Amino acid sequence: MRKKNFNLGTYEPEKCWVGEEQKICYATREEAEAAARVAEYEHNAPRLSVYKCEYGDHWHLTAKR
């Protein structure tokens, strides 16, 4: 779920702490996979994978295989 940042007029994605960094949360595997493909295309990113978060009921992206 995204939060409205009224100061900037933009949306901020929900994040959670994974290790020492905050990662964007995706509600479903399909949502995470779609975000991975968009990032690969728009930012010429390496092939990304998705994984279920061990700390909550959501998904994250990773470049690790």
Side-chain angles (χ1 to χ4, degrees), residues 1 3 12-17 22-25 58 60:
M1 171 176 282
K3 298 175 186 171
E12 287 188 33
E14 182 180 345
K15 295 182 180 181
C16 79
W17 286 99
Q22 284 191 300
K23 299 192 90 173
I24 296 174
C25 300
H58 50 264
H60 296 294

Side-chain angles (χ1 to χ4, degrees), residues 8-38:
L8 302 175
T10 61
Y11 287 94
E12 287 188 33
E14 182 180 345
K15 295 182 180 181
C16 79
W17 286 99
V18 178
E20 295 183 13
E21 65 181 305
Q22 284 191 300
K23 299 192 90 173
I24 296 174
C25 300
Y26 299 94
T28 65
R29 180 181 187 95
E30 292 77 20
E31 183 181 337
E33 288 172 344
R37 302 299 82 83
V38 168

Side-chain angles (χ1 to χ4, degrees), residues 30-50:
E30 292 77 20
E31 183 181 337
E33 288 172 344
R37 302 299 82 83
V38 168
E40 290 167 8
Y41 178 78
E42 289 185 351
H43 303 287
N44 199 24
R47 184 84 176 153
L48 299 172
S49 299
V50 301

